[in-house]
Amino acid sequence: MKTEILPTHTKSLFNAAVKRAVELLRAGEVVALPTETVYGLAANALDETVVAKIFQIKGRPEHNPIIVHVIGNDMAKSCVKDFSALAENFSKSFWPGPLTLVLPRANNIPNNVTAGGETVGVRWPSHPIMQAVIRECGFPLAAPSANLSNQISPTNAAHVRAQLDGKIPLIVDGGQSQVGIESTVLDLTVSPPRILRPGMIHAESLAAVAGNLQPSTFNLQPSTLRSPGMLAKHYSPKAKLVILHWSDESELVSQLSTFNFQLSTTHVIAHTEIPAGFPPENVSVIPHDAESFARALYGELHRCDAAGAELIVVEAPPETPEWSGIADRLRRAAA
Ligand code: TXA
Ligand code: MG
């Protein structure tokens, strides 16, 4: 299959790309679309047969449920049995945006979307292309991240192409994803609510709306799994990844000497203590604020993979709530 990539940087290109995506989605195809978090691999969420194609294309295990993307509370309500007052409050505070709410599923949501469970994850994304496509389709879109299972999520169209070229008919290029890591997943079917996957909307912001949250444990065993995104090993680059603290370059170098890797295939991702003695192409500097770091992180990991890095050393992030989603993804990438 030939994969078409459509740009969107002018009004007419935007409209043409949306039109083409809608045509394909109406015809039961799977297409890659930009969202503000990461790119999604989208299909009609109400059609079990096309949702099955998503699993097949990604090599995704059947037990992993897919998030349903909507526009507006009315469409969200059509996907769930009970859109509670608390869900209304979360919608008011954070939608459209990088928050997925897990709620009791409606009967029209196919079994493979929920992985056979009684809940469905619903998100109203803020990306204008995703919004325009959902609006014109008139149906919700099931969309996991547009990567092969267990690999790093794509944050631009080139990342999607590197993994899915030839497997889907269309990638809509909506530029760089603004958030850069996947949405926070919040389970509202338990009381108090529980974070299933941390993200850039962090616990303190959520607690301000919910009043209270369950304490989180993010290292659950598969047997007790509520959300396969919580598996320790997930979202990983090909290279081995380690998270280290260093106060100066000599401390970094001495820590690295305990690993059996060539410096030439070692890549450093730093945000405060920047090593000067490494080949410059092996050092990435990401600004020391959580938003910028999240936006750039996956791009750097994709770049390391493409460059054939064997060891990726990431400077440990701060332990504050703003960094909790980033810390979570780094832990999984290092697992
Ligand atoms: O930001 C995002 O959430 C991106 C964009 C495309 O929206 N999507 C995304 O989808 O990251 P995916 O499939 O890569 O990750 C979805 C996560 C998985 O960990 C899945 O287990 C969890 O959400 N999830 C989905 N539905 C769920 C449900 N009903 N109950 C519990 N966890 C659920
Ligand atoms: Mg994913």
Side-chain angles (χ1 to χ4, degrees):
M1 180 185 300
K2 174 139 176 47
T3 302
E4 188 181 15
I5 302 183
L6 292 179
T8 57
H9 54 275
T10 68
K11 195 159 193 284
S12 62
L13 289 171
F14 182 107
N15 291 338
V18 168
K19 183 161 174 271
R20 182 75 186 127
V22 171
E23 267 168 22
L24 288 165
L25 288 163
R26 288 217 173 108
E29 297 286 348
V30 175
V31 304
L33 298 172
T35 91
E36 74 278 24
T37 55
V38 300
Y39 275 61
L41 191 59
N44 182 349
L46 306 180
D47 184 338
E48 184 147 34
T49 316
V50 292
V51 171
K53 288 191 199 173
I54 296 179
F55 283 88
Q56 191 241 319
I57 292 166
K58 279 185 63 106
R60 185 181 180 94
E62 275 168 32
H63 60 72
N64 196 355
I66 299 185
I67 295 169
V68 172
H69 297 73
V70 299
I71 184 158
N73 281 355
D74 286 344
M75 193 183 272
K77 286 173 190 169
S78 76
C79 300
V80 305
K81 204 159 269 165
D82 176 28
F83 200 75
S84 59
L86 192 54
E88 293 270 5
N89 286 341
F90 276 108
S91 170
K92 213 174 286 164
S93 301
F94 300 111
W95 279 357
L99 176 67
T100 296
L101 299 177
V102 172
L103 291 160
R105 73 189 278 195
N107 292 332
N108 60 332
I109 301 297
N111 274 323
N112 55 0
V113 170
T114 70
E118 286 311 308
T119 64
V120 61
V122 182
R123 180 163 102 80
W124 175 357
S126 67
H127 198 292
I129 289 171
M130 192 68 174
Q131 291 193 347
V133 172
I134 300 170
R135 190 181 297 112
E136 292 200 18
C137 282
F139 47 75
L141 295 179
S145 50
N147 51 277
L148 299 173
S149 205
N150 288 328
Q151 301 207 14
I152 308 162
S153 295
T155 52
N156 64 38
H159 297 158
V160 180
R161 182 168 58 175
Q163 295 196 29
L164 299 179
D165 194 26
K167 295 186 162 205
I168 51 174
L170 175 66
I171 300 168
V172 176
D173 184 348
Q176 201 67 38
S177 293
Q178 283 297 298
V179 177
I181 66 171
E182 304 82 353
S183 63
T184 304
V185 179
L186 183 68
D187 187 355
L188 292 187
T189 68
V190 293
S191 181
R194 184 155 81 110
I195 297 175
L196 296 178
R197 179 175 70 182
M200 293 308 284
I201 295 179
H202 56 75
E204 286 188 356
S205 307
L206 298 170
V209 173
N212 204 359
L213 289 181
Q214 286 189 35
S216 317
T217 41
F218 296 127
N219 55 348
L220 299 188
Q221 297 304 308
S223 56
T224 57
L225 209 60
R226 290 284 309 221
S227 186
M230 295 171 78
L231 271 174
K233 178 80 182 167
H234 204 72
Y235 312 109
S236 26
K238 297 186 186 104
K240 177 182 170 65
L241 185 145
V242 296
I243 305 162
L244 299 178
H245 285 275
W246 60 87
S247 51
D248 59 33
E249 189 155 351
S250 62
E251 196 184 329
L252 170 62
V253 170
S254 78
Q255 290 184 73
L256 284 181
S257 65
T258 66
F259 297 98
N260 214 355
F261 285 94
Q262 305 282 332
L263 277 193
S264 61
T265 56
T266 297
H267 196 106
V268 180
I269 300 178
H271 52 86
T272 52
E273 291 301 324
I274 320 300
F278 282 68
E281 65 276 16
N282 288 18
V283 179
S284 306
V285 180
I286 307 185
H288 183 71
D289 74 87
E291 272 76 28
S292 309
F293 196 93
R295 196 174 299 134
L297 176 63
Y298 287 173
E300 293 305 328
L301 297 181
H302 282 289
R303 201 164 72 79
C304 291
D305 271 353
E310 286 174 16
L311 178 66
I312 303 172
V313 182
V314 185
E315 184 181 356
E319 284 167 15
T320 54
E322 294 75 28
W323 289 80
S324 58
I326 294 164
D328 169 79
R329 298 309 185 279
L330 287 175
R331 264 196 312 272
R332 289 171 206 287

